[in-house]
Amino acid sequence: MSAQPVHGGTADRPRVPRTIGGISHALRGSRRAQFFAELLEAQQGPELDGVLNAWWGRAMLDTDPDRDRIRAAAEAGTLATTTMDEVLRRRRELGVQ
């Protein structure tokens, strides 16, 4: 199974570059300030990697073109959901462990 981007970007060029600049550009206002505050406190190595990974995920969510539609559906209780059993069943059918 390969990961395919849902919106924008490709595997080698994601919608939000996994860099300090890419992440900060995708974030707005106080979220950008919070990112830099955590970044400036992190020590080089696993701690810094963790900050970058967490904020890259948030930046990807913030720039998702379907974000507003998904949020509205979630708030209205109409967002499609599935169970973990269903996810596992689909993975077995695809031959993914």
Side-chain angles (χ1 to χ4, degrees):
M1 184 169 151
S2 64
Q4 298 294 322
V6 177
H7 295 289
T10 61
D12 60 333
R13 287 193 113 191
R15 183 175 63 244
V16 176
R18 207 176 196 119
T19 63
I20 293 170
I23 295 167
S24 68
H25 180 72
L27 298 170
R28 293 187 178 92
S30 64
R31 287 175 64 80
R32 182 180 293 155
Q34 185 180 1
F35 166 63
F36 278 117
E38 288 183 30
L39 189 66
L40 292 171
E41 293 298 317
Q43 291 188 25
Q44 185 176 6
E47 186 178 2
L48 178 60
D49 292 344
V51 170
L52 291 173
N53 286 334
W55 281 98
W56 179 77
R58 293 173 188 144
M60 287 294 287
L61 291 172
D62 281 357
T63 59
D64 186 334
D66 287 335
R67 178 181 179 212
D68 292 337
R69 180 190 61 79
I70 292 169
R71 182 179 184 141
E75 289 174 349
T78 59
L79 184 65
T81 60
T82 190
T83 65
M84 195 63 197
D85 288 337
E86 179 65 16
V87 170
L88 294 172
R89 183 190 66 74
R90 290 180 193 166
R91 289 178 59 91
R92 279 192 302 274
E93 288 177 359
L94 294 171
V96 178
Q97 294 299 321

